[in-house]
């Protein structure tokens, strides 16, 4: 028994912030942002939109494309580090918007690895026959925890959501999935204040993401290279067996380094940070959907996905679509 992704849907807010817009706000240039990250523009939620609103839009599209009755859904898992509120969780908020009830709906916080973590958990529910139709979502409004006057971070982060419907299959589906984490690096990428330990601060900036970019970069490349090779070895595949590589969209240079190590030609690498920026848990399903919609990814393809994010957390999934 395997878990098969039968559809993907995605949603990004209409409001687009370009590199030129940011040049007017902080000391940066389009040239710096594009050459260091690959990002040209990013969708940013308007004031009325919370994470569950973006997640709901992506979910609706995934359900429609799956050609299922929404009442078939018996599990919702959302990866997010920017929930609407501390509780209730975004999974139950979407469940209610979809007019569904009486099955597990929850979110998990694994930052940029949120979608891969959620996929891994849904795969286990399906393999154990606890779910016959799972909705897995990665959704974020990172703009709400970004300091728009800090050039180190505001050029990177963005808002969006991607959703997948999974069903059991005895043919194609997820053939490998593994997660990892190392809390030793927690302070290299974190939000210092808010919620439990340090709930209140007079300094608004303390509620926003702080990243030691260059140090994160180095650990990210090393970890992602290792887990990509490991995923191939453990699933008895070679690079040439992979049709598409869909990595977390943090930085084009990180992705190029990993692809080079895997000897994957650049035509097989799905990039979407140019128009999406870094949307954390939403970035992989957003890139996935983009490549399905433009006709690159097709039924029958073998796909390697991998993520790396705050925590640090990481994970990889190989699937036959
Ligand atoms: O998604 C979760 C995981 N996140 C990641 O994987 C992100 C990993 N890190 C990165 O993607 C990169 O480290 C960044 C894109 C964040 C930064 O690129 P970098 O090549 O590592 O630059 P840097 O931090 O070493 O900074 C180089 C210079 C510095 O100036 P000095 O000290 O050399 O004078 C920065 O102050 O670039 C400066 N800088 C900027 N300049 C123009 C930093 N941000 C900007 C900016 N515009 N927006």
């Amino acid at each position: 028994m395997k878990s098969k992704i039968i559809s993907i849907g995605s949603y990004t807010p209409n409001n687009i912030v370009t590199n030129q817009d940011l040049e007017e706000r902080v000391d940066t240039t389009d040239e710096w942002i594009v050459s260091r990250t690959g990002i040209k523009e990013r969708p940013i939620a308007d004031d009325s939109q919370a994470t569950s609103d973006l997640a709901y839009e992506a979910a609706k599209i995934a359900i429609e494309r799956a050609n299922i009755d929404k009442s078939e859904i018996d599990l919702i898992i959302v990866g997010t580090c920017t929930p609407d509120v501390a509780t209730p969780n975004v999974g139950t908020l979407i469940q209610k918007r979809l007019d569904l009830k009486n099955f597990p709906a929850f979110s998990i916080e694994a930052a940029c690895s949120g979608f891969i973590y959620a996929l891994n958990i849904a795969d286990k529910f399906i393999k154990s026959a606890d779910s016959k139709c799972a909705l897995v979502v990665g959704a974020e409004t990172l703009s709400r925890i970004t300091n728009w006057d800090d050039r180190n971070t505001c050029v990177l982060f963005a808002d969006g959501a991607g959703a997948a419907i999974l069903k059991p299959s005895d043919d194609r589906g997820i053939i490998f999935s593994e997660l990892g984490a190392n809390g030793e690096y927690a302070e290299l990428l974190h939000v210092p204040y808010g919620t439990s330990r340090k709930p209140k601060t007079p300094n608004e900036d303390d509620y926003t993401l702080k990243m030691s970019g260059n140090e994160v970069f180095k650990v990210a490349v090393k970890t992602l290279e290792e887990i990509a090779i490991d995923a191939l070895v453990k699933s008895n595949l070679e690079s040439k067996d992979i049709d598409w590589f869909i990595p977390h969209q943090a930085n084009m240079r990180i992705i190029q380094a990993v692809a080079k190590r895997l000897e994957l030609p650049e035509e097989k690498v799905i990039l979407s940070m140019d128009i999406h920026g870094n949307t954390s848990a939403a970035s992989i399903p957003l890139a996935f959907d983009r490549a399905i919609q433009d006709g690159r990814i097709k039924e029958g393809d073998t796909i390697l996905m991998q993520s790396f994010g705050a925590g640090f957390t990481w994970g990889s999934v190989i699937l036959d679509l």
Side-chain angles (χ1 to χ4, degrees):
M1 172 85 78
K2 293 189 189 116
S3 316
K4 182 170 162 51
I5 291 186
I6 61 166
S7 75
I8 297 265
S10 68
Y11 174 82
T12 50
N14 294 331
N15 175 35
I16 304 298
V17 174
T18 64
N19 290 353
Q20 288 71 22
D21 294 330
L22 291 172
E23 280 178 351
E24 288 172 24
R25 179 145 192 167
V26 291
D27 181 16
T28 192
T29 60
D30 173 56
E31 195 278 329
W32 190 96
I33 304 170
V34 173
S35 64
R36 297 285 179 127
T37 71
I39 298 167
K40 295 179 183 156
E41 58 181 43
R42 75 264 318 124
I44 298 296
D46 66 45
D47 290 345
S48 71
Q49 291 176 306
T51 295
S52 71
D53 299 316
L54 314 187
Y56 171 66
E57 296 300 330
K60 267 198 315 190
I61 296 168
I63 292 167
E64 197 182 301
R65 288 185 185 153
N67 213 8
I68 56 163
D69 190 303
K70 66 181 180 179
S71 64
E72 288 181 51
I73 295 171
D74 57 13
L75 173 70
I76 299 177
I77 312 179
V78 181
T80 186
C81 61
T82 48
D84 295 31
V85 286
T87 192
N89 77 71
V90 178
T92 54
L93 295 175
I94 310 175
Q95 188 187 42
K96 184 176 176 217
R97 288 281 296 275
L98 290 170
D99 201 17
L100 300 172
K101 58 182 155 192
N102 298 334
F103 60 80
F106 56 95
S107 346
I108 50 130
E109 40 165 337
C112 303
S113 300
F115 183 75
I116 295 295
Y117 265 58
L119 213 51
N120 178 290
I121 298 165
D123 181 38
K124 291 182 164 72
F125 267 82
I126 287 178
K127 281 192 178 131
S128 65
D130 279 341
S131 169
K132 295 209 161 13
C133 184
L135 168 62
V136 172
V137 185
E140 303 280 10
T141 42
L142 290 183
S143 61
R144 301 282 153 73
I145 55 166
T146 298
N147 177 346
W148 287 95
D149 296 318
D150 176 7
R151 70 173 185 174
N152 289 300
T153 50
C154 76
V155 301
L156 307 172
F157 300 123
D159 303 334
I165 300 286
L166 278 84
K167 279 193 164 188
S169 156
D170 45 22
D171 175 22
R172 306 185 69 78
I174 294 176
I175 54 175
F176 175 85
S177 175
E178 200 164 85
L179 307 178
N182 185 348
E184 186 186 325
Y185 298 106
E187 301 225 329
L188 292 186
L189 177 49
H190 70 141
V191 179
Y193 276 79
T195 58
S196 175
R197 185 165 298 283
K198 296 174 178 171
K200 293 226 160 46
T201 162
N203 183 4
E204 284 288 312
D205 177 49
D206 288 337
Y207 295 122
T208 61
L209 272 164
K210 307 284 169 254
M211 178 163 72
S212 306
N214 205 262
E215 289 168 73
V216 176
F217 188 102
K218 287 177 204 151
V219 187
V221 171
K222 187 169 176 293
T223 307
L224 290 167
E225 285 181 355
E226 281 170 14
I227 64 165
I229 302 280
D230 198 45
L232 290 179
V233 170
K234 286 180 176 160
S235 45
N236 219 2
L237 294 173
E238 293 175 31
S239 297
K240 65 173 175 44
D241 300 318
I242 300 297
D243 296 305
W244 300 105
F245 177 42
I246 315 180
H248 168 50
Q249 307 284 314
N251 188 311
M252 189 182 56
R253 290 179 296 137
I254 295 177
I255 295 171
Q256 284 167 342
V258 178
K260 193 171 165 206
R261 178 83 174 77
L262 288 178
E263 296 176 5
L264 277 175
E266 63 182 67
E267 313 82 72
K268 288 187 171 188
V269 181
I270 306 294
L271 297 175
S272 80
M273 81 280 285
D274 57 333
I275 56 164
H276 293 145
N278 179 350
T279 55
S280 181
S283 91
I284 290 177
L286 279 172
F288 202 152
D289 194 23
R290 185 185 194 187
I292 291 177
Q293 297 314 311
D294 68 21
R296 278 177 292 170
I297 295 184
K298 295 190 179 65
E299 187 100 20
D301 288 344
T302 298
I303 297 167
L304 166 64
M305 297 186 271
Q306 65 164 199
S307 65
F308 182 89
F312 291 146
T313 57
W314 57 82
S316 36
V317 168
I318 299 179
L319 59 87
D320 291 326
L321 198 62

